[in-house]
Amino acid sequence: MPLVEPTLNLSASAPDAVERILAAAKDLFAESGFNAVSMNAIAERAGVSKANVFHHFKSKNALYLEVLKTACHESGSQIDQLGSGSGTLVERLRAFSQLHLTNILQDEKISRLIQRDLLENGPQRGKEFAEQVFGQNFASLVAILRTGQKKGELRKGIDPAMLATLLIGADVFFFQSREVLRHFPDVHFTDKPESYSTMLMDILLCGILPKP
């Protein structure tokens, strides 16, 4: 790995350079995948030197993880809002479900990049992603659901981690499969993510058994 001298004269201010590097890396990783992207290509796209890139990020993998963490920032903000927003927990869960799905759909390239990497390199990437990218958001979501249980807003006996997995997993499945689902004659919500989220939350909150 190239070593960078501490006295390196940066061609741009640090915040500006970092933002350009992250933006360039995000686009290139999303377009071609991690393995196909070189640090030279990132530097060229960002309009900085390769040494400048290594000045801010010690390796391509460190830059990659930072791109993913930055992409997950919006989800973290949505979870914070779920925990501290106004309204009942049920109302906030419904809003969170829609915002989370919207976030996945709007950042489609990054969503596909993450899924592709996990499918191809799950055993290698799984622990790294859990500890450095997604873990804090997931733990925060579980903690909010557990607090809701303690307050009597959610049924006791449900594993909060299982509920968090269902919430997130249902949105990921919709993103992955909607191009197939749209061709099923009984499916009418592939172009209506808001409707999908509403029906999903109705099932999760009310169940599938008839009321006694």
Side-chain angles (χ1 to χ4, degrees), residues 79-189:
I79 292 172
D80 290 342
Q81 184 177 349
L82 172 63
S84 60
S86 60
T88 67
L89 178 59
V90 168
E91 291 170 340
R92 285 180 277 129
L93 279 171
R94 289 184 180 277
F96 169 77
S97 177
Q98 292 201 4
L99 289 172
H100 181 259
L101 180 57
T102 298
N103 190 46
I104 292 176
L105 295 173
Q106 287 181 342
D107 214 346
E108 181 173 350
K109 289 184 178 180
I110 286 294
S111 298
R112 292 199 182 282
L113 171 65
I114 293 170
Q115 292 173 30
R116 183 169 67 243
D117 203 359
L118 285 174
L119 285 173
E120 295 176 355
N121 307 296
Q124 296 77 34
R125 286 292 190 191
K127 186 173 185 293
E128 190 174 43
F129 280 7
E131 293 178 348
Q132 300 189 49
V133 181
F134 306 115
Q136 184 56 56
N137 281 353
F138 186 81
S140 297
L141 178 57
V142 171
I144 292 167
L145 297 173
R146 184 175 289 116
T147 298
Q149 279 184 312
K150 292 179 180 178
K151 292 181 178 180
E153 296 177 285
L154 298 175
R155 180 165 65 84
K156 293 181 179 180
I158 298 174
D159 183 344
M162 181 61 185
L163 179 53
T165 300
L166 287 172
L167 282 168
I168 296 170
D171 287 346
V172 172
F173 176 78
F174 179 82
F175 173 79
Q176 290 176 326
S177 62
R178 69 192 189 285
E179 294 306 327
V180 175
L181 290 173
R182 70 172 65 255
H183 298 290
F184 294 164
D186 295 315
V187 175
H188 306 291
F189 49 74

